Amino acid sequence: MSDITYSSVDNEVSDILNKRFVTSFRNGYIKANDVVLPVYFKKFGQRIQDMEIRDDDVWVCSYPKTGTTWCQEMTWCIANDLDFEGAKQFLPERFPFLDHTPLFDYEKVLPEKPDLKLPLYVSDSITYINELKSPRFIKTHLPYKLLPKKLRDQSTKAKIVYVARNPKDTCLSYFHHCCLLEGYTGNFEDFCKLFTSDSLCFSPFFDHILGYWNRKDDSQVLFLKYEDMKQDLRTVIRQTAQFLGKDLADDQVLVLEDHLSFESMKNNRAVNYEPVIEINKTHNLIDANGTFMRSGTVGGGKQKMSPEFIKIFDEWEEKCLGKSGLKF
């Protein structure tokens, strides 16, 4: 019996989704247990539910564009005793993205582009992760309710680091990301409509955050905020090290802080996704320009939004988070 119920994405902005966000590798959307995902996810949903989870797994979970890559690099470096030589390996190889394959359906693209060779962590990310040696480091944008069953029921000692970010900045960053890497061709205002109507992949947005926030007191869950990382990265590094059972000296914290600086990350090909952007350009998969790491600031979303959307976002946030105790 399936653990996932599928339904259609049918709302007032569906036409934007279908006109501006369908590509050669993304041919439509569905809801899986009320979470928006590409239609291709149906092929993988149950495999994800049934995955084996190991005691020494470390998962970084997030809604897209909330500081995921930053949090991954921090987590990996701490867990691996600041092995900066090992950190030169491409991040998706040492810290693979579970939902990569369900997000990008290349089945029709590959026969037309024989020169496009996909590594296993792209063509079958689930198999790639299942075959990794321990300890495994795994990234996912899935909300808590769609995580593998054995991760949700905490029948293992696997750890989850979750990172959240305020909705306006997430929306702006996700917009640039989707133009650059996922084939969105609409404008920012239409993207705001998709975001606030919970019509983008991995939405509903606030449900995503609250699914993990409500488990923040679990010993196997660490809940972080992007804004705290920007304001006081040293404290977050120490907090994460304690969670992972690692003891960092003050000088090690400073070295890691420098490694994780925005400029350092932006210029680090192991983490800045430039190789992926180059592949998309070479094979004409995306017609957009830009960089994966753009500005890394707090407050940029509000500067780019119209007053109408700022009001919509503020009222939405108050409605969804008002009683939770969570503030950005």
Side-chain angles (χ1 to χ4, degrees):
M1 181 180 165
S2 174
D3 294 288
I4 302 176
T5 302
Y6 293 99
S7 56
S8 63
V9 179
D10 191 16
N11 56 32
E12 69 277 8
V13 294
S14 298
D15 59 324
I16 300 174
L17 201 59
N18 294 323
K19 285 178 185 174
R20 300 298 181 193
F21 215 162
V22 171
T23 71
S24 61
F25 51 77
R26 177 84 54 80
N27 57 13
Y29 299 86
I30 50 162
K31 287 186 176 180
N33 290 353
D34 296 321
V35 177
V36 178
L37 287 160
V39 170
Y40 196 46
F41 180 82
K42 287 182 79 169
K43 276 195 165 190
F44 305 94
Q46 195 57 43
R47 283 180 64 196
I48 291 172
Q49 288 299 298
D50 295 336
M51 282 178 69
E52 288 297 322
I53 304 299
R54 304 175 193 167
D55 285 335
D56 53 2
D57 281 350
V58 178
W59 291 64
V60 163
C61 307
S62 67
Y63 188 88
K65 305 311 292 181
T66 55
T68 320
T69 303
W70 200 15
C71 191
Q72 280 178 273
E73 186 68 358
M74 176 183 70
T75 300
W76 192 93
C77 288
I78 292 170
N80 288 278
D81 303 315
L82 307 195
D83 177 11
F84 295 120
E85 191 60 37
K88 290 178 181 177
Q89 183 185 15
F90 192 33
L91 185 65
E93 294 177 6
R94 58 187 159 94
F95 211 135
F97 178 25
L98 175 65
D99 347 324
H100 195 136
T101 304
L103 269 184
F104 300 96
D105 178 1
Y106 292 112
E107 288 186 2
K108 291 180 181 173
V109 176
L110 289 172
E112 299 167 3
K113 299 183 183 293
D115 293 338
L116 179 57
K117 307 297 183 191
L118 300 178
L120 188 60
Y121 60 81
V122 173
S123 63
D124 191 343
S125 48
I126 301 164
T127 295
Y128 182 84
I129 288 168
N130 286 339
E131 293 177 352
L132 276 180
K133 293 178 181 176
S134 292
R136 300 185 302 183
F137 297 86
I138 303 163
K139 160 190 163 181
T140 183
H141 290 317
L142 292 173
Y144 195 89
K145 64 183 179 181
L146 283 180
L147 292 177
K149 285 180 284 190
K150 289 184 179 178
L151 190 55
R152 277 185 283 126
D153 68 19
Q154 296 189 4
S155 59
T156 69
K157 296 175 184 175
K159 293 180 180 291
I160 292 173
V161 179
Y162 184 81
V163 59
R165 188 182 192 183
N166 78 80
K168 296 187 192 77
D169 288 353
T170 301
C171 179
L172 179 62
S173 187
Y174 202 13
F175 165 69
H176 287 288
H177 172 90
C178 288
C179 292
L180 184 63
L181 288 171
E182 296 194 20
Y184 176 71
T185 58
N187 59 32
F188 182 49
E189 183 168 321
D190 279 349
F191 194 85
C192 288
K193 290 177 185 175
L194 291 171
F195 193 94
T196 52
S197 65
D198 281 324
S199 301
L200 293 166
C201 282
F202 306 106
S203 294
F205 175 73
F206 286 112
D207 283 0
H208 199 296
I209 293 174
L210 290 171
Y212 290 89
W213 174 253
N214 292 335
R215 289 163 182 82
K216 69 184 185 304
D217 296 328
D218 293 0
S219 61
Q220 289 165 232
V221 177
L222 176 65
F223 189 100
L224 301 175
K225 290 196 290 188
Y226 179 91
E227 290 76 12
D228 292 341
M229 292 177 72
K230 289 294 292 185
Q231 185 175 353
D232 188 358
L233 183 57
R234 286 179 208 175
T235 295
V236 176
I237 288 171
R238 290 191 176 98
Q239 186 183 2
T240 307
Q242 183 179 7
F243 176 70
L244 296 173
K246 296 290 184 177
D247 189 21
L248 293 182
D250 289 348
D251 60 330
Q252 290 178 303
V253 173
L254 293 177
V255 170
L256 182 55
E257 182 184 37
D258 182 64
H259 177 75
L260 295 172
S261 71
F262 184 76
E263 280 307 309
S264 174
M265 293 280 287
K266 189 169 184 176
N267 294 315
N268 181 353
R269 275 180 69 86
V271 299
N272 66 14
Y273 285 87
E274 279 184 13
V276 178
I277 295 167
E278 288 163 7
I279 289 169
N280 285 339
K281 285 288 183 190
T282 301
H283 296 281
N284 299 311
L285 297 174
I286 299 283
D287 184 23
N289 292 302
T291 56
F292 179 80
M293 293 185 182
R294 212 175 38 82
S295 68
T297 57
V298 173
K302 191 172 183 178
Q303 293 172 9
K304 293 288 184 182
M305 280 176 194
S306 66
E308 291 81 9
F309 265 110
I310 290 173
K311 186 170 184 286
I312 289 169
F313 269 81
D314 286 344
E315 290 175 354
W316 184 38
E317 184 171 350
E318 176 57 33
K319 177 186 171 187
C320 294
L321 294 187
K323 296 177 182 177
S324 69
L326 174 61
K327 291 196 183 322
F328 287 100

